[in-house]
Amino acid sequence: MSETYSKDDYLTPIKYASKYGLTKEIVEKAMKIARLRHASITLNRGGTKREIIISQHGKHHVRPEPTAHDALNKIIQEIQSKGESK
C-alpha cells in the first residue's frame, strides 16, 4: 500500500533546515542545484519519475518521500565537502 502525503508534508527550506539541523542558506543552495540538475526520484507507484524539488505558488518545496530527502542530503554533502557552506 502506498503512503499518502498532505500538503504540509512538503518542506520549505526553513522547515527542512530545522528538521536536519542545517542552515537555511545551505538548504536553499542545495535546492537550487537540485532544480538546475532536475534531480529526480522514482516513485514506487508505477515507477514514475518525479523531481525532488517542486514549486507551489512561486515557492520551492522538497518532496516528502525519504528518497527525496536522501537525494537532497547528497547534494548538501557535496556542497559541504567543497567548502562552500561558509
Side-chain angles (χ1 to χ4, degrees):
M1 187 172 162
S2 63
E3 192 171 346
T4 58
Y5 297 101
S6 69
K7 185 177 179 182
D8 293 332
D9 294 329
Y10 290 80
L11 301 176
T12 63
I14 294 171
K15 289 181 182 177
Y16 190 89
S18 65
K19 181 175 181 174
Y20 290 102
L22 301 166
T23 62
K24 176 187 166 200
E25 290 78 22
I26 197 163
V27 173
E28 286 177 338
K29 184 179 266 190
M31 289 175 72
K32 182 178 180 180
I33 291 170
R35 282 193 329 265
L36 292 173
R37 290 182 185 173
H38 298 285
S40 61
I41 59 170
T42 303
L43 300 179
N44 292 336
R45 296 170 268 162
T48 308
K49 290 192 105 173
R50 297 283 187 239
E51 290 193 17
I52 62 172
I53 307 298
I54 63 165
S55 179
Q56 291 178 340
H57 304 291
K59 296 181 182 177
H60 295 92
H61 296 74
V62 181
R63 292 187 67 84
E65 290 86 8
T67 52
H69 291 202
D70 292 341
L72 190 62
N73 283 332
K74 286 180 185 176
I75 294 171
I76 290 170
Q77 287 175 356
E78 284 177 26
I79 293 169
Q80 290 175 336
S81 69
K82 290 181 181 177
E84 296 176 6
S85 61
K86 295 177 183 176

